[in-house]
Amino acid sequence: MNPRPAPVDSARAALRAHLLHRRLAGGNIPTSRQKNLRSYRLFGQGDPTALMGLAPQGRWGPGAVLALMAERCGVDPDFGRGQGPDTIDPDLALDALDRMAALLRSVARRRATVLAGTGHPTRLTEFHTSIARALEAAGCTLLTPARGTRFREPTPEGERSCVLDYRGPVAVVRGLDGGSARGGRLDRGRGELLHTHSAQPVRLVLDRLAGTGHPLPGLVLGDHGWLCGAGRLGVPAAGIADSNDPAPFVAEAEREVAVVVPVDDGSPPECYRPLSDYVLQQADLAPYKE
């Protein structure tokens, strides 16, 4: 087996150090063990927020979810340990980023259409934007349908009136009814940006495309319900998921989502720029300038 070329090894080592330094991966991630186990139980119980639009094909009790998350994410496989920090394996994260790069290379080669959306508008928008713009520069078409579509969205605080919007090429959800600032941010007076697990936004977008005679996109870049909702409808999807969000990893295991990268998803936006830079370099889509 031939060793990796030195530049690749160097880039991988630098990104691995970054993942550990910013606690995106490693043995002291911000997401607690208690929160992870609670999420796995909720998924096993079929909680809609935990499912993120996924309809699992197999039987996924909490033990099976934990075993999968240990395999795909690197969390502690011992259900008996319920306290303290948990773990994301940085090498599993890097391997997933390499798989994402291979997928992006294929998408760019085909000049496929691309849709990007996020349930983490204040955290992951820039990550998705960097990748989407690089694909556009390579000849892909970025889709931005259904802007301004209003709908009702369930949230932890109750159902809210929302609108689909875009920040650059990335779809986001905004609250229209005031609501709470928790988990969101006011943006230029256009409504609060909402953190959501829902697959409803991606369903609205894909329904709009189908209703206007457009084919489904060749790739959805996203997280949370954007990944699971797209995958359930047969659209290739790739993105980031945290250790307390088992749905995308189950969707990947059931071959409904193409690639899921296990990293903490609640860190400041600048933490993710080295990840997008690495993916674009590995996909031969760099250099890219914002």
Side-chain angles (χ1 to χ4, degrees):
M1 184 175 180
N2 293 327
R4 291 176 179 269
V8 175
D9 276 345
S10 175
R12 185 178 172 104
L15 183 56
R16 191 181 193 279
H18 171 79
L19 294 174
L20 295 173
H21 175 65
R22 298 310 298 255
R23 299 174 63 202
L24 299 177
N28 190 30
I29 57 174
T31 306
S32 70
R33 180 69 172 176
Q34 300 95 307
K35 188 172 183 179
N36 279 348
L37 293 182
R38 180 177 182 274
S39 295
Y40 305 163
R41 291 189 182 98
L42 289 173
F43 185 92
Q45 294 164 6
D47 179 86
T49 300
L51 289 175
M52 299 183 179
L54 185 67
Q57 302 166 26
R59 298 182 64 182
W60 292 95
V65 174
L66 176 61
L68 178 73
M69 296 302 287
E71 173 193 330
R72 301 281 170 124
C73 203
V75 302
D76 189 333
D78 180 8
F79 225 130
R81 189 176 77 80
Q83 303 293 321
D86 214 332
T87 301
I88 293 176
D89 186 329
D91 293 304
L92 290 177
L94 291 162
D95 290 346
L97 289 168
D98 288 340
R99 293 196 303 274
M100 179 182 281
L103 175 63
L104 297 180
R105 191 182 303 114
S106 173
V107 168
R109 189 182 306 120
R110 292 183 284 111
R111 297 190 175 183
T113 54
V114 176
L115 171 69
T118 182
H120 258 299
T122 64
R123 303 296 184 184
L124 296 179
T125 298
E126 293 176 19
F127 174 82
H128 298 310
T129 296
S130 295
I131 294 174
R133 291 299 188 198
L135 289 170
E136 183 181 41
C140 295
T141 299
L142 303 186
L143 302 173
T144 57
R147 187 192 303 269
T149 300
R150 299 191 177 204
F151 59 100
R152 301 286 293 178
E153 175 79 351
T155 74
E157 291 78 30
E159 196 171 82
R160 296 188 59 178
S161 296
C162 301
V163 64
L164 189 79
D165 198 5
Y166 285 83
R167 301 186 74 195
V170 181
V172 296
V173 175
R174 297 184 184 276
L176 293 176
D177 53 6
S180 165
R182 177 183 164 192
R185 185 177 72 187
L186 296 179
D187 186 30
R188 298 193 299 276
R190 295 163 54 195
E192 178 190 355
L193 291 166
L194 297 184
H195 170 215
T196 175
H197 288 184
S198 174
Q200 189 174 357
V202 72
R203 291 175 187 147
L204 288 171
V205 171
L206 296 178
D207 283 348
R208 177 65 60 86
L209 286 173
T212 54
H214 290 279
L216 293 175
L219 176 69
V220 168
L221 292 168
D223 45 70
H224 290 176
W226 287 89
L227 285 174
C228 296
R232 188 177 178 191
L233 294 173
V235 180
I240 282 172
D242 207 336
S243 60
N244 66 323
D245 291 332
F249 295 98
V250 172
E252 183 186 41
E254 294 188 340
R255 299 178 183 272
E256 289 196 356
V257 168
V259 181
V260 183
V261 179
V263 295
D264 175 74
D265 65 6
S267 296
E270 63 271 15
C271 293
Y272 303 98
R273 189 56 189 256
L275 280 69
S276 57
D277 287 347
Y278 176 86
V279 167
L280 296 178
Q281 186 69 46
Q282 301 305 106
D284 298 322
L285 294 172
Y288 164 69
K289 300 297 182 182
E290 188 73 42

